[in-house]
Amino acid sequence: MNSYLYRINWNKNTIIMSELIEMGLEIAKEQMDGAMDHLAKELTKIRTGKANPSMVSSIKVDYYGSPTPLTQVANVGATDGKTLTIDPWEKSMIAPIEQAIFAANLGLTPQNNGEMIIINIPPLTEERRKEFVKQAKALGEEAKISVRNSRQKIMETVKKEVKDGYPEDAGKREEDNIQKMVNGYGEKINKLVETKEKDIMTV
C-alpha cells in the first residue's frame, strides 16, 4: 500500500517537473525568437547600395512635441534603386522631418522641393561595404550569444529536474531536442547575416 502511494506521488511529481521543463522550453523559444526579431530589425538599419524605406524606419520625428515614427507622419517609398521619397501627410512636417533625418546621423542628405523630401542614396565605397559586413556579422554573433544564454538556462532547468527525480533518459532526450532547436536558430541567424552581406556587397 505504501509502495503504491509512493509510486502515485512520484508520478505526480514527475508530471509537475515535466511541466516545469515545458514552461522553460516555451520561455527559451520566446527568447530565441526575440533574438531573431531583434537581429532582423537591426540588420535593416545597415545600409546597402540600394535605396530602401527601411533605411529611415528608425527615425523619430517631432510631431507637435511628441517623438513619432517617420512612417506614421509620411509615406516613405523608393522610386528606384538610388532614390528615397518621403511624402508628409501634412506639408508643415517637411521641416521637422528634414531635421530628424540630419539628427539621425545616417549619412543621408534630404532635399526639399516644397512638396516632399527626396534623398539620393550615394554609392558605397568598397571599404564602407566591408565595414557594414563586419557590423552585420557582429550583430549575428550577438544574436547567437543570446540564443546560447537561453539554452544554458533551460539546460540547467532540465539538469535540476533530473537531479530531483525526473527520468534521466527523458532528460537526455530533452537536452538533445534543445540542442537541435539551438542549431536551427544558429542556421537561421547565419542565413539572415549571409543574405544581408550579399545585399551589402552587391554593386
Side-chain angles (χ1 to χ4, degrees):
M1 182 65 176
N2 289 338
S3 175
Y4 175 77
L5 287 174
Y6 174 80
R7 188 161 60 250
I8 293 296
N9 289 333
W10 186 86
N11 285 336
K12 285 182 179 179
N13 288 336
T14 301
I15 292 172
I16 292 172
M17 285 186 283
S18 178
E19 288 177 349
L20 288 174
I21 292 175
E22 184 177 353
M23 186 184 302
L25 282 169
E26 290 178 0
I27 293 173
K29 189 176 185 306
E30 287 178 3
Q31 292 174 338
M32 293 178 191
D33 285 337
M36 288 291 298
D37 291 342
H38 180 72
L39 172 62
K41 183 177 180 181
E42 291 300 307
L43 287 176
T44 63
K45 297 178 182 179
I46 299 178
R47 276 191 56 193
T48 64
K50 297 180 180 178
N52 191 313
S54 64
M55 297 170 69
V56 293
S57 62
S58 62
I59 292 178
K60 295 287 182 65
V61 181
D62 182 1
Y63 185 67
Y64 299 103
S66 176
T68 306
L70 175 60
T71 53
Q72 291 184 18
V73 299
N75 288 318
V76 182
T79 55
D80 54 44
K82 298 179 181 179
T83 310
L84 281 180
T85 58
I86 302 173
D87 187 8
W89 298 338
E90 300 174 26
K91 300 310 175 187
S92 62
M93 290 302 299
I94 289 180
I97 290 174
E98 279 188 300
Q99 293 171 6
I101 293 170
F102 281 120
N105 197 27
L106 297 175
L108 303 176
T109 303
Q111 296 178 340
N112 170 9
N113 67 5
E115 293 294 323
M116 66 172 63
I117 294 171
I118 299 171
I119 300 175
N120 293 314
I121 308 301
L124 295 174
T125 63
E126 184 71 14
E127 182 180 359
R128 199 76 172 124
R129 291 178 190 276
K130 289 180 180 179
E131 288 178 5
F132 286 148
V133 166
K134 186 177 180 180
Q135 185 179 346
K137 288 182 177 179
L139 288 171
E141 187 55 36
E142 287 177 9
K144 288 182 179 179
I145 290 173
S146 180
V147 167
R148 288 198 292 268
N149 288 340
S150 297
R151 175 191 62 184
Q152 182 178 350
K153 291 177 183 177
I154 182 57
M155 285 291 199
E156 288 174 355
T157 298
V158 173
K159 292 181 185 302
K160 183 179 184 301
E161 297 310 307
V162 169
K163 184 177 180 181
D164 290 343
Y166 189 69
E168 286 189 24
D169 56 343
K172 184 64 170 64
R173 283 195 299 271
E174 294 292 358
E175 289 180 356
D176 290 342
N177 290 333
I178 291 167
Q179 189 57 52
K180 288 178 182 177
M181 180 173 69
V182 169
N183 292 343
Y185 277 100
E187 291 173 4
K188 291 177 183 178
I189 289 171
N190 287 339
K191 188 173 181 180
L192 275 177
V193 173
E194 288 169 5
T195 299
K196 186 66 181 185
E197 180 177 355
K198 184 178 179 181
D199 288 343
I200 293 170
M201 296 306 295
T202 299
V203 180

